[in-house]
Amino acid sequence: MDLGSVIIAVAGVAGTLGGTFLTQRASERARRREIALLRDQEEGRENLLLRRTCYVEFNRAARQFTTALNKHLHVMRERAVEESDVEALEQAKADHRDRHSEAQMIAPDAVLARMSRVNRALSGVYGQAKRLERGAPEPGETTATAARDQAEIWNLLQAMRAAMRHDLGVTPEAPRPVETPEPIAAPARIPAAEPIAAAEPDGRPERRL
């Protein structure tokens, strides 16, 4: 075998080995990308499940705290507050506090903002109820004002649930606030036309004295 044939044979073997090596590298990179994609998808599913569980528990706790406040205010209007009434309210408050603490580490900013509004409203009504219970309300605080503020919490809960459902992909887009339409301006007043003077018999306008 001459030198040229040897060189050609060596080049062929090197090309084959090099092609095999490059193919293996490409296949390995593809497998790594596939593994990373599957890992990201699995993490996404786990995160979604974690948020769903968090939202369900927070929504339940917030609703129960709202209901407990409503019941406590009814008791205050009808009879003296007993220890069992206080314990029921405090238990609902503690459960809501724990769920809110968990949500602060999980919920995205848009949902957390809605949760915080609900939490502030609940804390405000709770403070009113306890001050009224002690007989030391702030100026203007009555059981009627506390009941009014408590009833308004249901609207905040509805807005919070809408944000949660949007984050979980249940609803396609977040709810938009209802805008109050601008008042329609009254049409400009058209001045009354000048009266037409009666004509004299000869056709000329009658002169006014």
Side-chain angles (χ1 to χ4, degrees):
M1 182 179 295
D2 57 10
L3 181 60
S5 299
V6 173
I7 294 174
I8 292 173
V10 171
V13 172
T16 301
L17 293 176
T20 303
F21 176 75
L22 293 176
T23 301
Q24 290 177 346
R25 290 290 302 274
S27 178
E28 291 176 0
R29 285 195 297 268
R31 282 198 298 271
R32 285 196 295 267
R33 286 195 298 267
E34 183 178 358
I35 292 172
L37 179 61
L38 292 174
R39 186 184 299 113
D40 292 341
Q41 291 176 348
E42 183 63 25
E43 290 178 355
R45 285 191 293 269
E46 291 177 356
N47 186 266
L48 180 64
L49 179 60
L50 182 63
R51 296 202 314 277
R52 182 186 294 117
T53 303
C54 170
Y55 294 167
V56 169
E57 293 181 352
F58 185 91
N59 181 63
R60 175 191 55 79
R63 288 177 62 88
Q64 288 184 348
F65 190 13
T66 305
T67 302
L69 283 169
N70 181 53
K71 181 179 179 180
H72 198 78
L73 292 171
H74 275 294
V75 168
M76 292 173 61
R77 288 193 295 266
E78 296 173 358
R79 59 175 174 82
V81 175
E82 299 177 357
E83 184 177 355
S84 59
D85 302 319
V86 175
E87 291 177 354
L89 179 61
E90 294 301 323
Q91 180 59 46
K93 179 178 181 293
D95 188 26
H96 172 264
R97 181 192 61 229
D98 293 343
R99 301 291 81 76
H100 187 235
S101 298
E102 294 174 358
Q104 288 177 323
M105 306 303 296
I106 298 173
D109 292 342
V111 178
L112 188 59
R114 295 288 184 178
M115 290 178 167
S116 297
R117 292 179 185 177
V118 170
N119 183 64
R120 286 194 298 269
L122 287 167
S123 298
V125 176
Y126 173 82
Q128 289 188 62
K130 300 306 286 186
R131 287 189 292 272
L132 290 167
E133 184 182 323
R134 295 192 305 267
E138 294 183 354
E141 287 185 345
T142 64
T143 53
T145 60
R148 179 201 62 199
D149 294 343
Q150 181 272 337
E152 293 176 353
I153 296 176
W154 294 109
N155 293 328
L156 298 177
L157 288 171
Q158 183 178 8
M160 180 193 72
R161 286 194 302 272
M164 291 175 173
R165 289 166 60 85
H166 172 64
D167 180 56
L168 295 175
V170 178
T171 52
E173 58 184 26
R176 297 180 180 179
V178 178
E179 298 180 357
T180 304
E182 294 291 335
I184 300 175
R189 184 176 180 181
I190 301 175
E194 292 292 335
I196 300 175
E200 295 183 355
D202 58 0
R204 290 177 299 174
E206 180 182 1
R207 296 182 179 180
R208 293 184 179 181
L209 299 179

